[in-house]
Amino acid sequence: MATLTIPSSVPSPTEDSEQLRKAFAGWGTNEGLIIEILAHRNAAQRKLIRQTYAETYGEDLLEELHKELSSDFERIVLLWTLDPAERDAFLANEATKRLTASNWVIMEIACTRSSHDLFMVRQAYHARYKKSLEEDVAYHTTGDFRKLLVPLVSSFRYEGDEVNMTLAKSEAKILHETISDKAYTHEELIRILTTRSKAQLNATLNHYNNVFGNAINKDLKTDPKDEYLILLRATIKCLTCPEKYFEKVLRLAINKQGTDEWALTRVVATRAEVDMQRIKENYHRRNSVPLDRAVSGDTSGDYEKMLLALIGCGDA
Amino acid sequence: MAVANEMGAITKAFSGFGVDEKSLITVLGKWHPEQTKSFRKASQFFIQDERLFERWIDKHVEQLKIEFLRFKSAVVLWTMHPWERDARLIKDAVIDGQKSTNVIVEIACTRSCDDLFGARKAYHSLFDRSIEEDVAYNTPGIERMLLIALVSSYRYEGPRFHEDSAKSEAKTLCTAIKDAGDKNPMDDQEVVRILSTRSKPHLKAVFKHYKEISGKNIDEDLVADSSLKHTVQCLSTPHTYFIKVLDAAMNPVADENTKEGLTRVLVTRADVDMKLIAEEYHKQNGVELAQKIEQMVKGNFKEFLLTLLARGDQLKK
């Protein structure tokens, strides 16, 4: 469930564009107004605003925002305003250029979006970067990470609920064998995780747990420092229980010395319209403090206001 | 028509590609029982049974069934939406196993990125599975990595690419292929990456540089008939690849699998680049493709194929 709140009577894109134009006018910027508008419009509405703004004023709203805003507030407003597919394409492209820590972002996008949405990302990537997503991911990763990430971003998983229990049993066995042999990049393990539907995977992993006594991620914890295994466990988590995965990312981002704003921004901007409500509930349950209080405690200014608006607190 | 001629005609009508429906109607339909009996006694399609009658040999009846159905299969395949068509072709190839992996490579490499994606969508609808999960499950060993990457690709289709990148990737391919030693180049992550993710214009440049470095075309440097070779052929010179498929299909000793290539190529390329393929065919083989089909194929199936072939001349892309 989303945490995005939209007013019951939404102004027209023309009115919104006008207000935004006013917010940029003169010295300084009316950040509050920007939040009031953009943080309370859904993707379709934001798209219309961008179109109308460009038609009316001959300028790109995103360029204006980039000029007027700065730092973490700018980043979250820009990411939020983008169309979900463009946003994911941007994040993925940025991740391929950064260091290995950004394998997470690529995996996250590949595993937590629906098959259809992941395809839209691939299309948006063509349009924006004149390359394919998989070619950039392949080029910028190596070895075991490439073996896992390229099939993940290229997948178009079947989205139905049908499950083949016989297959689930046999594939749980295969997973158990490869893991017992510490063959964590074994082609069978990769095959199962990167091609099976999410429903099928769930059945397989449940069976794994039932028969072999441990959840698969427990068995994959053999070396807590191994970067590849960390990514593999996160992959499985993203595929089976994304809200738990995102709760953890938020928890680590907030608890980190100095806060990991990029992670915080990314999760809030990409999930506010999707399942932020569930993530919030998970967060509260796991940390005994509501997410908005944790966010307030760790951020400030317009950045904080934007975050709170998107996770369902502050003004509507 | 003299009896011997008639028997020859009916034998011919039953043999080879497709079935000569007209002769069967006009000749066979008119025979007296004695003529038919003489035919059975002389024909290699029949065997003398111990209970003193001439019996159809089962495998010939089976073959006849296939030949009678060729027209129907071509028509059904032709009428299908290209996405359903490719999805079904891939499904059949997956079931057939090793001998049909070239069909998977063919479809993955010669369709536009959106048409390949369309086939993936259709596959979900038709089979409640994803193409990649079926291809992965049914492709063991070395070929799996390459095949999955190929069917999952969504290549950029614009003209832009980096010349330097193409040059260095040509070098990488050359090293991987020529200095392979014991290692199969299909096992090389870089080879798979380059061939399965780069755009076709980029690959065109890569293949051009490859020839400059190696002195040979890339497919000439590869072992005969591997998925890697097919991949490279489909990506660099698809028309030459399709001609090979056609020639193999019309070879008198072709097996059923190979023969299906004739229908597949004509149906799937009729509205794409069949005209160019036919021109290339003429250049390469010194005979018109239409003539070869006229020679090797019979009946309604032949007429249908020739009609598909002729479309190329009428449609302007």
Side-chain angles (χ1 to χ4, degrees):
Chain A
M1 269 220 60
T3 48
L4 173 68
T5 51
I6 302 172
S8 42
S9 119
V10 181
S12 71
T14 315
E15 287 170 303
D16 278 339
S17 298
E18 225 178 279
Q19 290 300 312
L20 285 168
R21 187 75 170 172
K22 282 203 190 122
F24 301 142
W27 288 107
T29 313
N30 188 343
E31 288 91 353
L33 186 52
I34 293 173
I35 297 174
E36 196 184 302
I37 299 172
L38 290 174
H40 298 285
R41 302 290 182 270
N42 64 31
Q45 291 160 340
R46 298 194 305 272
K47 191 173 183 158
L48 278 175
I49 296 172
R50 279 170 69 191
Q51 265 170 10
T52 312
Y53 193 95
E55 283 162 16
T56 315
Y57 304 110
E59 292 182 36
D60 180 357
L61 176 62
L62 292 170
E63 272 302 312
E64 298 280 86
L65 289 167
H66 174 59
K67 269 190 260 169
E68 297 279 330
L69 311 178
S70 63
S71 185
D72 294 312
F73 180 53
E74 176 196 339
R75 188 175 165 84
I76 193 169
V77 171
L78 281 178
L79 280 179
W80 171 248
T81 309
L82 282 171
D83 206 50
E86 286 176 301
R87 182 192 305 144
D88 282 348
F90 173 82
L91 288 169
N93 178 266
E94 187 183 58
T96 59
K97 299 201 194 113
R98 292 175 68 210
L99 303 169
T100 53
S102 325
N103 286 336
W104 283 82
V105 176
I106 296 169
M107 177 280 298
E108 196 178 289
I109 293 172
C111 298
T112 61
R113 303 339 183 215
S114 72
S115 293
H116 173 257
D117 285 345
L118 182 57
F119 175 64
M120 302 290 282
V121 176
R122 295 173 86 177
Q123 273 191 322
Y125 203 95
H126 275 201
R128 191 168 174 142
Y129 300 108
K130 314 300 181 204
K131 302 276 262 297
S132 67
L133 173 59
E134 65 267 24
E135 101 183 80
D136 276 352
V137 170
Y139 187 69
H140 288 99
T141 54
T142 53
D144 297 341
F145 293 99
R146 184 193 288 182
K147 260 192 180 172
L148 180 61
L149 290 172
V150 174
L152 283 179
V153 301
S154 314
S155 68
F156 184 58
R157 297 178 201 258
Y158 176 62
E159 301 220 277
D161 294 322
E162 290 85 0
V163 163
N164 179 331
M165 282 316 293
T166 316
L167 199 60
K169 289 192 184 128
S170 70
E171 294 193 335
K173 190 150 176 270
I174 294 173
L175 288 174
H176 190 250
E177 279 165 6
T178 54
I179 291 174
S180 303
D181 290 340
K182 295 198 195 302
Y184 305 119
T185 58
H186 193 279
E187 56 170 29
E188 283 289 274
L189 190 149
I190 304 276
R191 170 182 72 76
I192 293 167
L193 291 181
T194 62
T195 68
R196 291 302 184 201
S197 74
K198 290 179 181 176
Q200 182 70 29
L201 263 181
N202 255 312
T204 306
L205 295 178
N206 283 337
H207 191 82
Y208 184 106
N209 199 344
N210 293 344
V211 172
F212 301 111
N214 281 336
I216 189 172
N217 271 359
K218 187 142 182 247
D219 286 347
L220 285 170
K221 269 209 175 110
T222 47
D223 179 359
K225 293 244 173 63
D226 183 329
E227 289 288 332
Y228 174 76
L229 280 182
I230 296 175
L231 188 66
L232 193 60
R233 294 201 302 273
T235 302
I236 291 171
K237 216 166 177 181
C238 278
L239 290 169
T240 52
C241 46
E243 317 85 49
K244 282 206 188 136
Y245 166 83
F246 284 119
E247 178 279 321
K248 186 167 183 185
V249 175
L250 285 175
R251 179 173 12 113
L252 295 177
I254 291 171
N255 292 351
K256 174 172 174 201
Q257 192 79 331
T259 313
D260 181 353
E261 285 90 2
W262 276 36
L264 185 53
T265 297
R266 184 180 80 242
V267 175
V268 171
T270 59
R271 307 315 282 179
E273 279 180 290
V274 184
D275 56 0
M276 196 68 210
Q277 188 56 39
R278 298 258 288 274
I279 299 170
K280 263 171 78 172
E281 287 161 15
N282 270 339
Y283 190 92
H284 197 167
R285 218 177 298 139
R286 177 70 174 68
N287 299 288
S288 308
V289 64
L291 179 61
D292 47 299
R293 211 187 307 160
V295 163
S296 274
D298 231 44
T299 58
S300 60
D302 297 309
Y303 180 51
E304 176 194 345
K305 290 206 194 93
M306 184 71 180
L307 286 168
L308 292 178
L310 288 177
I311 63 178
C313 325
D315 10 281
Chain B
M1 219 195 280
V3 174
N5 279 354
E6 284 192 352
M7 300 227 292
I10 295 307
T11 305
K12 197 152 177 271
F14 279 146
S15 317
F17 248 127
V19 155
D20 181 359
E21 291 92 352
K22 279 212 185 72
S23 292
L24 294 176
I25 296 168
T26 58
V27 178
L28 185 58
K30 297 214 182 91
W31 275 351
H32 289 300
E34 300 86 57
Q35 285 172 294
T36 318
K37 192 180 177 76
S38 304
F39 175 74
R40 285 196 302 269
K41 278 192 178 297
S43 172
Q44 50 168 320
F45 299 152
F46 290 81
I47 181 178
Q48 184 71 3
D49 186 275
E50 60 182 10
R51 293 191 175 85
L52 304 180
F53 66 97
E54 314 83 39
R55 208 180 81 192
W56 268 110
I57 294 176
D58 285 337
K59 79 166 200 248
H60 282 293
V61 179
E62 286 309 310
Q63 190 60 37
L64 257 192
K65 218 192 278 182
I66 295 174
E67 296 303 339
F68 266 103
L69 285 176
R70 244 182 248 287
F71 177 44
K72 163 243 169 203
S73 303
V75 165
V76 169
L77 200 65
W78 171 248
T79 317
M80 269 181 204
H81 190 290
W83 295 354
E84 178 176 355
R85 186 188 298 153
D86 282 344
R88 288 195 187 275
L89 284 171
I90 290 179
K91 182 64 158 177
D92 288 343
V94 159
I95 293 173
D96 277 347
Q98 192 69 1
K99 56 190 158 119
S100 293
T101 48
N102 70 304
V103 176
I104 300 173
V105 171
E106 181 182 307
I107 294 174
C109 296
T110 61
R111 305 322 189 227
S112 74
C113 70
D114 283 321
D115 277 341
L116 178 59
F117 196 76
R120 293 175 85 178
K121 288 193 275 199
Y123 202 94
H124 279 200
S125 300
L126 295 167
F127 306 113
D128 293 340
R129 301 278 268 273
S130 64
I131 283 187
E132 62 266 29
E133 88 185 273
D134 276 356
V135 167
Y137 188 65
N138 289 287
T139 313
I142 267 191
E143 291 185 316
R144 181 187 284 180
M145 203 172 41
L146 178 64
L147 251 56
I148 300 181
L150 290 176
V151 299
S152 310
S153 65
Y154 186 62
R155 299 178 202 257
Y156 175 60
E157 299 215 301
R160 281 168 49 172
F161 64 89
H162 285 134
E163 196 68 44
D164 291 337
S165 195
K167 266 200 204 125
S168 84
E169 292 184 347
K171 237 183 250 152
T172 307
L173 286 178
C174 209
T175 316
I177 290 171
K178 301 188 103 161
D179 299 342
D182 278 338
K183 189 173 183 211
N184 188 327
M186 240 193 296
D187 218 1
D188 187 319
Q189 260 200 354
E190 282 291 276
V191 171
V192 173
R193 173 184 71 78
I194 295 166
L195 294 179
S196 67
T197 67
R198 290 304 190 197
S199 73
K200 290 178 184 174
H202 180 111
L203 285 173
K204 194 159 172 227
V206 169
F207 295 141
K208 182 179 113 217
H209 288 297
Y210 184 99
K211 183 152 189 202
E212 286 164 15
I213 302 172
S214 153
K216 283 211 194 124
N217 286 319
I218 185 170
D219 63 317
E220 289 163 349
D221 273 343
L222 287 167
V223 169
D225 267 16
S226 65
S227 293
L228 186 58
K229 183 164 182 147
H230 293 144
T231 301
V232 154
Q233 286 174 331
C234 286
L235 290 169
S236 59
T237 51
H239 298 158
T240 312
Y241 166 82
F242 284 123
I243 290 170
K244 284 203 172 65
V245 174
L246 290 170
D247 274 340
M250 288 190 280
N251 188 323
V253 299
D255 62 32
E256 183 51 33
N257 230 58
T258 315
K259 278 166 105 170
E260 283 171 2
L262 179 61
T263 306
R264 187 179 71 246
V265 173
L266 274 148
V267 166
T268 59
R269 309 314 284 179
D271 281 347
V272 183
D273 53 0
M274 199 63 222
K275 181 158 193 259
L276 295 169
I277 295 173
E279 282 168 5
E280 222 8 82
Y281 189 94
H282 190 185
K283 240 190 264 166
Q284 221 180 279
N285 293 351
V287 62
E288 295 278 0
L289 178 58
Q291 239 177 294
K292 182 80 181 185
I293 292 177
E294 185 66 60
Q295 200 189 333
M296 302 297 296
V297 184
K298 289 193 293 299
N300 291 334
F301 180 53
K302 175 192 77 178
E303 295 301 332
F304 191 64
L305 290 182
L306 290 176
T307 311
L308 293 184
L309 187 53
R311 283 171 79 86
D313 294 330
Q314 292 151 18
L315 294 172
K316 297 248 179 234
K317 267 276 156 168

